Amino acid sequence: MSTTTAVARSEETGRGKTGEAAPRETRIAWAFLAPFAVLYVLFLIWPVIYMVISSFFNTTLVHKGLGSFAGGANYAEMLSKHEFWVAMWNTIWFTILTVVPLVLLAFVLAILANRVRRGQWFFRLAFFLPFILPSAAIGIIWNFIYTPDSGLWNQVQKWFGNDSPSPVLATPHLAMIGIAIATIWWTIGFNFVLYLAGLQDIPRELYEAAAVDGATPWQQIRSITVPMLSPTTQLVVLLQIIASLKIFDQVYLMTGGGPGISTEVVLQLVTNTAFTDYRVGAASAASVLLFLVILIVALVRVAIDRIRSRKEA
């Protein structure tokens, strides 16, 4: 009887200690998360909330506070403004120019690098190294390449017989293409690494079995690699579209939106409206409209994935 009582007491004591330890561990976990949570709220959540609120007011940098209530006037102004639609089209055009090459080239380069048995680290480094460079360095490098007369690109054109090549960044219909090429060179390493990681998760046995059955390398890619990398491709496409829609650094550093407004994007219009015209309310309205475009793209992508998963089920 005494042994049973002792065991019961020990079990109660253990449960008590466990019950006391659980809240303590929870408090410690929240203590570690608190600094990040505070920074997250202050520098991400609150600016988004303030952006939405100020878009309905005549907020300005000249006066304190939100200013007078404007209702939907800021949105109506942006939607009827020629510069806004030009900036929106330039943003979409840049997205079209960059998303497809960045997905396809990264996929092809990852497949080629994955087939290399020795020195694969070199290709990882070579393709990923530009991605870690700051945008200012990218702007300097490609401004030098596109420099009229003495730039590398103009020299290449002269070698092929074009004695008077058009300056890329000073020509309206070429400037955005030049920025897109610089962006592809800069950011392709990130997608390359994602695809390479996905390729290394595919079992080698599948390729060996396909080779035994007489499948060619192209048939192996079409029947094994592409289907197995479908989740990675969906992730890469979504991330790339969102990143391209948020283009700002390259345009600001390489062309400043010029020549004229031929390369001005939405985020540059937002910056000029807020910090040159001091109209934070109107700039916030433009930011909300761009946010809605990005949100629609993300929701469409999620809907497509759900429809595809239902068909496969």
Side-chain angles (χ1 to χ4, degrees), residues 254-303:
M254 295 177 67
T255 64
I261 58 172
S262 60
T263 60
E264 186 178 48
V265 291
V266 175
L267 286 183
Q268 188 173 5
L269 176 67
V270 169
T271 303
N272 293 337
T273 305
F275 299 106
T276 302
D277 301 336
Y278 303 112
R279 302 183 59 210
V280 177
S284 298
S287 299
V288 171
L289 292 173
L290 178 61
F291 171 76
L292 291 177
V293 172
I294 296 174
L295 183 62
I296 290 171
V297 171
L299 292 176
V300 169
R301 189 64 195 174
V302 170

Side-chain angles (χ1 to χ4, degrees), residues 113-231:
N114 191 53
R115 292 180 176 270
V116 176
R117 297 298 181 181
R118 296 181 180 180
Q120 194 176 105
W121 64 270
F122 173 78
F123 294 97
R124 292 183 184 180
L125 179 64
F127 290 121
F128 191 74
L129 187 61
F131 183 73
I132 66 175
L133 295 177
S135 56
I138 299 301
I140 293 173
I141 291 171
W142 283 91
N143 272 329
F144 174 75
I145 292 174
Y146 291 139
T147 299
D149 297 329
S150 61
L152 177 62
W153 175 243
N154 281 22
Q155 292 297 325
V156 171
Q157 293 186 76
K158 289 180 180 179
W159 292 341
F160 284 95
N162 188 358
D163 295 329
S164 57
S166 300
V168 176
L169 299 181
T171 306
H173 68 279
L174 295 177
M176 188 59 80
I177 297 175
I179 296 172
I181 292 173
T183 303
I184 292 169
W185 177 83
W186 180 28
T187 60
I188 194 171
F190 181 74
N191 296 342
F192 168 79
V193 170
L194 290 179
Y195 272 123
L196 193 60
L199 284 170
Q200 293 177 349
D201 287 338
I202 300 176
R204 289 282 181 182
E205 293 78 6
L206 295 177
Y207 293 104
E208 293 173 359
V212 171
D213 291 338
T216 62
W218 167 246
Q219 291 174 333
Q220 294 177 24
I221 293 173
R222 186 181 60 185
S223 302
I224 298 175
T225 307
V226 173
M228 296 291 287
L229 284 182
S230 179

Side-chain angles (χ1 to χ4, degrees), residues 23-72:
R24 182 172 177 273
E25 292 178 356
T26 303
R27 288 194 296 270
I28 292 174
W30 279 111
F32 278 106
L33 289 174
F36 172 76
V38 171
L39 294 175
Y40 187 81
V41 171
L42 286 178
F43 294 102
L44 187 64
I45 301 299
W46 170 243
V48 172
I49 296 174
Y50 184 81
M51 175 189 71
V52 175
I53 295 174
S54 62
S55 67
F56 295 100
F57 290 84
N58 291 317
T59 308
T60 176
L61 293 177
V62 178
H63 303 289
K64 295 182 179 180
L66 290 173
S68 59
F69 183 71

Side-chain angles (χ1 to χ4, degrees), residues 231-246:
T232 303
T233 301
Q234 294 173 11
L235 175 65
V236 168
V237 169
L238 180 60
L239 292 178
Q240 193 57 59
I241 291 175
I242 293 175
S244 296
L245 289 173
K246 296 190 298 181

